[in-house]
Amino acid sequence: MTSGAQALIESLKREGVTEIFGYAGATICPAVDAVKNSDIHYTLVRTEQNAGHMASGYARISGKAGVCMVTSGPGATNLITGIATAYMDSIPIVAITGQVESYLLGRDIFQEVDMTGAVAPFIKHSYLVKDVKQIPKIVKEAFYIASTGRPGPVLIDIPIDIQKATFDPVYPESVDIRGYKPSVKGNPKQIERAAKAISQAKKPVLCLGGGVISAHAEQEAIAFAEASGIPVVTTMMGLSCIPSDHPLYMGMIGSFGHLRANKTLGNADLLILVGARVANRAVLAPDQIGKLMKTIHIDVDPAEIGKNVSTNIPVVGDVKQVLIQLAEHAPVAQTQDMERLREMRLEELSRPLPTRAGYAHPGRILRELGDMLEDDCIVSVDVGQNQIWACKHLPQKHGRFLTTGGLGTMGYSMPAALGAFVAAPDRQNVVVCGDGSFQMFENELSTLRNLNAPVKIVLMQNNVLGLVNEIQHSSYSGPFGVALDHSPDFATLAKAYGVPCGIVGEDGDIHEALEKMLSADGPYLLICRVDPDARTGD
């Protein structure tokens, strides 16, 4: 006979799972014990939220659903932010939570939380396991749902008595879920309409979002742009779809985007949205787009089409397949003067940056860092001013840019980087964060050391919650509640965790400091003294 916990772990193995990120507790102990007796590697995080973020980083680099596993009650509620972050950014993870005994549910006993109800607004699907015999089927379905269509998180909440119950498991070989049949190929008539609109457009623009990366369609997107001669912009989540130096690339759109990208979009007569919902941060007034230009919207999730931008030609299907279909029609746009657009783009990227004595300019740090990184480097970026500076100044090559653009969760960068390291230990791995976000994940320096991960951390220290401070200066009566007084000495803190550290506070010292960081054997923290009055538009 097999226990429910053993069947759970065997089911994970049959789905190709080799890594679990978790934090143990009483109600998940049977499953953890089963992991111990398997060949699945288990990474202990230092707070449950980061188990979700590590699973996210792992999924984004490995191309497989990431798995996280925590206990009930506060362990499960701590994980909710990680689940919501994955949902907003369409990242496939399977979250497993322990639960109190099934016969005690609803009695508010110790560490009981209605997890399926708690995550209902931001989960792709959830299961409360009531019958041990259903475990193999539930796991099979969970991975299928998480990884197909629009990717996203799936929750399996499993009571401890179900984990302990025994049975003779039957493991299904396939999945057939009534009512869940994600579209793959685009409708041929809609493809023809889209191709015709592109051929007739005089100033089309191709906007690539995170869905292009989720569909592994970067090469198809670039090939389509090159064949049709259309300029390309990206959303924040679409960064790293296309190298920054590609002659068709105009930059990131949005309130914190590149001027040339926003102007290219503003002058367009046709917007081709690919794998992006284009919310208010990407376009200041998305409801106005439909009044200014025609729109083709390509997405695997029909619910995303037209959500924020009115759409003339909707195309539902897997982005990779739709781009291949569209390319077969070989639409060539009567597009604008690309040489002139490129010249203006290069002027924007090379504009001089201000120098302030006693501080290192974040734009200069990131420009030099980008030039020094390996071609396939993974860069995980946190939220706040550091995120905006990285989006605007860090050159993209052929690596990956990991950040959270939907929920905008501070503290995402380091755990995501660790998950990415587990997925690809041989690739260069760099974190960019602020001192506010650093203090939300600093305990994961312990996990960093446990994994022996050579992750390099670029910490922008300005002793303030930078982006909120900037907003308060520009739109309110001034800063309040944003000063990071009495922050720890980060160099001493790093030393306590056994992480070497460097400090840079002048522009002239940036290159040498970055060289020392990147050449270090193992992890390294580079503290960059940044002017607290620096702005994202500087």
Side-chain angles (χ1 to χ4, degrees):
M1 298 290 280
T2 300
S3 72
Q6 291 168 335
L8 172 69
I9 302 309
E10 176 62 26
S11 297
L12 295 179
K13 287 176 60 178
R14 288 168 180 257
E15 294 304 313
V17 174
T18 58
E19 304 288 341
I20 294 177
F21 306 93
Y23 201 102
T27 64
I28 200 65
C29 271
V32 173
D33 192 63
V35 174
K36 177 184 176 182
N37 295 305
S38 75
D39 54 3
I40 294 177
H41 180 256
Y42 182 88
T43 298
L44 172 65
V45 300
R46 296 307 186 261
T47 189
E48 291 89 353
Q49 173 176 316
N50 292 335
H53 296 334
M54 287 188 200
S56 170
Y58 177 85
R60 295 173 76 172
I61 297 303
S62 70
K64 305 190 299 182
V67 178
C68 50
M69 187 166 70
V70 303
T71 195
S72 62
T77 57
N78 281 349
L79 182 61
I80 286 177
T81 298
I83 291 172
T85 302
Y87 179 78
M88 291 288 285
D89 291 335
S90 304
I91 310 301
I93 68 171
V94 174
I96 300 168
T97 52
Q99 183 57 276
V100 302
E101 289 86 347
S102 57
Y103 53 86
L104 295 175
L105 287 170
R107 300 186 185 184
D108 292 332
I109 69 165
F110 179 68
Q111 292 194 335
E112 178 193 354
V113 170
D114 175 10
M115 270 301 286
T116 56
V119 301
F122 37 77
I123 196 81
K124 192 172 181 186
H125 195 66
S126 63
Y127 296 90
L128 172 59
V129 185
K130 298 179 180 179
D131 180 355
V132 68
K133 295 177 182 178
Q134 294 297 309
I135 288 175
K137 178 176 180 288
I138 285 172
V139 172
K140 191 76 177 175
E141 290 182 358
F143 278 83
Y144 178 69
I145 293 170
S147 303
T148 55
R150 176 191 170 192
V154 175
L155 171 73
I156 302 175
D157 193 38
I158 180 166
I160 186 172
D161 60 312
I162 301 297
Q163 295 176 55
K164 291 179 177 179
T166 58
F167 72 119
D168 291 320
V170 177
Y171 299 98
E173 296 295 328
S174 60
V175 175
D176 184 15
I177 304 173
R178 182 185 299 175
Y180 181 71
K181 306 292 180 185
S183 299
V184 177
K185 285 198 170 185
N187 182 285
K189 290 185 177 180
Q190 294 300 89
I191 296 288
E192 290 178 11
R193 288 183 62 201
K196 183 177 179 181
I198 293 169
S199 298
Q200 293 175 344
K202 297 186 182 302
K203 293 183 179 181
V205 62
L206 182 66
C207 178
L208 306 180
V212 174
I213 298 173
S214 295
H216 310 289
E218 297 95 323
Q219 293 307 313
E220 286 77 10
I222 293 172
F224 178 77
E226 291 173 344
S228 56
I230 301 176
V232 178
V233 298
T234 64
T235 63
M236 180 183 290
M237 293 302 292
L239 284 170
S240 73
C241 273
I242 181 171
S244 297
D245 61 359
H246 193 285
L248 289 173
Y249 184 52
M250 296 295 109
M252 183 185 81
I253 60 171
S255 52
F256 295 107
H258 294 100
L259 177 63
R260 179 44 42 199
N262 285 328
K263 285 194 172 183
T264 301
L265 175 60
N267 292 329
D269 62 356
L270 175 67
L271 170 61
I272 309 163
L273 273 177
V274 186
R277 61 175 165 262
V278 188
N280 62 319
R281 209 181 191 196
V283 177
L284 287 176
D287 57 319
Q288 298 298 308
I289 289 289
K291 300 176 183 178
L292 301 174
M293 64 194 76
K294 284 186 175 182
T295 303
I296 300 169
H297 197 164
I298 303 169
D299 203 287
V300 72
D301 185 357
E304 293 295 284
I305 294 179
K307 179 184 285 187
N308 296 302
V309 175
S310 60
T311 302
N312 301 97
I313 305 174
V315 183
V316 179
D318 179 85
V319 166
K320 191 184 189 83
Q321 292 298 321
V322 171
L323 287 171
I324 292 172
Q325 288 177 268
L326 200 52
E328 291 173 354
H329 291 264
V332 178
Q334 305 169 43
T335 190
Q336 52 261 60
D337 183 351
M338 286 305 307
E339 186 174 340
R340 178 57 185 151
L341 284 177
R342 185 62 183 165
E343 286 176 2
M344 291 188 284
R345 164 75 172 151
L346 293 175
E347 287 173 8
E348 178 182 6
L349 292 178
S350 59
R351 68 179 177 84
L353 299 171
T355 298
R356 296 182 176 96
Y359 298 108
H361 191 284
R364 194 167 283 111
I365 295 165
L366 291 161
R367 286 183 183 181
E368 293 207 34
L369 174 65
D371 290 339
M372 299 165 71
L373 294 179
E374 294 174 3
D375 189 67
D376 67 344
C377 179
I378 301 166
V379 181
S380 300
V381 180
D382 226 283
V383 173
Q385 283 182 319
N386 67 91
Q387 183 186 53
I388 308 306
W389 286 323
C391 290
K392 294 178 75 169
H393 296 288
L394 184 70
Q396 301 298 315
K397 299 178 183 177
H398 295 92
R400 285 294 303 276
F401 185 94
L402 305 184
T403 194
T404 165
L407 199 62
T409 308
M410 287 180 67
Y412 177 80
S413 59
M414 170 65 91
L418 293 177
F421 165 75
V422 172
D426 296 328
R427 288 174 66 175
Q428 192 179 48
N429 197 313
V430 174
V431 165
V432 176
C433 64
D435 44 353
S437 53
F438 182 86
Q439 291 180 77
M440 290 193 175
F441 66 63
E442 61 189 27
N443 53 347
E444 297 301 343
L445 290 176
S446 179
T447 311
L448 171 79
R449 296 297 296 159
N450 276 358
L451 290 171
N452 196 29
V455 175
K456 311 298 191 277
I457 308 165
V458 177
L459 167 60
M460 307 284 187
Q461 183 179 11
N462 54 10
N463 300 307
V464 69
L465 297 176
L467 190 56
V468 183
N469 177 61
E470 183 174 334
I471 292 169
Q472 289 179 338
H473 267 290
S474 63
S475 303
Y476 298 94
S477 58
F480 176 77
V482 291
L484 295 173
D485 297 332
H486 304 295
S487 292
D489 181 323
F490 295 120
T492 300
L493 181 67
K495 184 178 180 180
Y497 281 102
V499 177
C501 179
I503 301 174
V504 60
E506 296 286 348
D507 284 345
D509 299 330
I510 290 173
H511 189 83
E512 182 180 352
L514 290 173
E515 275 191 334
K516 185 175 181 181
M517 177 189 77
L518 294 174
S519 63
D521 183 16
Y524 191 94
L525 173 66
L526 178 61
I527 300 169
C528 303
R529 308 290 193 196
V530 173
D531 187 349
D533 293 326
R535 299 291 178 259
T536 51
D538 289 351

